[in-house]
Amino acid sequence: MDHSSRTPSGRLAAGAPAPDFEAVTWKGEKVRLSDYKGRVVLLNFWATWCKPCMQEMPLLNEIHESLETQTATLFINAGESKGTVSEYMEQQHFSFPVIIDVTGKISASYGVAALPSTYIINTEGDIQKIVLGEIADFKELQQWLVEAGAAK
């Protein structure tokens, strides 16, 4: 791995290639990040016990539901059980795909140290923007996605 694409804390830096991963969603669908090359990807790391994560979920769900097909939203749950995630998703009536990172391997490859953490990956497969903490502004998030190559 090219260590120049990481910050001193070990997190990935904007401009670095997004680490590829293959995983299964809580509904059993196989997902590979590289399958989304050519599309903007919003990658969000979260957990149900994380209050800021829960506060930004309705906004992220709204983005998921409003996006054109050139943008994909992938949500990585940090180590909770399938039952916990399933129960939360059904209670909230959220439809976005959730990958359960039970082993922490995906989180580690991105250097995720705090939740929520959001990575916006551009159409080239590089990290365009990293947002640590809660996203509270819908228009600002839309603008970041446009800057990464999403159509308005």
Side-chain angles (χ1 to χ4, degrees):
M1 168 162 282
D2 177 9
H3 292 287
S4 65
S5 62
R6 294 201 174 259
T7 65
S9 65
R11 278 198 315 270
L12 284 171
D20 196 15
F21 58 83
E22 186 175 299
V24 177
T25 69
W26 68 284
K27 290 185 174 177
E29 301 154 336
K30 199 174 207 180
V31 175
R32 182 181 293 124
L33 182 63
S34 55
D35 290 345
Y36 295 95
K37 189 139 177 145
R39 294 170 67 189
V40 172
V41 177
L42 183 151
L43 190 64
N44 177 266
F45 291 86
W46 67 285
T48 61
W49 50 260
C50 164
K51 277 195 167 55
C53 299
M54 298 304 90
Q55 287 171 219
E56 75 178 359
M57 277 296 164
L59 180 137
L60 296 178
N61 188 58
E62 189 178 340
I63 282 282
H64 167 73
E65 291 178 347
S66 71
L67 289 174
E68 301 293 322
T69 52
Q70 78 278 358
T71 305
T73 51
L74 294 175
F75 295 81
I76 313 286
N77 177 273
E80 293 183 286
S81 73
K82 184 177 177 182
T84 299
V85 172
S86 300
E87 190 176 307
Y88 173 76
M89 295 298 286
E90 286 162 10
Q91 281 174 349
Q92 300 299 318
H93 305 291
F94 290 148
S95 60
F96 49 78
V98 175
I99 294 161
I100 301 173
D101 188 19
V102 178
T103 63
K105 193 173 170 185
I106 301 169
S107 300
S109 71
Y110 280 80
V112 173
L115 298 176
S117 292
T118 304
Y119 294 77
I120 297 173
I121 301 166
N122 65 25
T123 54
E124 303 298 311
D126 296 329
I127 296 170
Q128 177 83 21
K129 178 140 188 89
I130 300 169
V131 184
L132 302 176
E134 180 186 345
I135 297 171
D137 188 322
F138 187 84
K139 291 223 178 292
E140 187 174 40
L141 178 54
Q142 281 182 314
Q143 182 59 42
W144 295 333
L145 294 168
V146 167
E147 288 167 6
K152 283 188 178 182

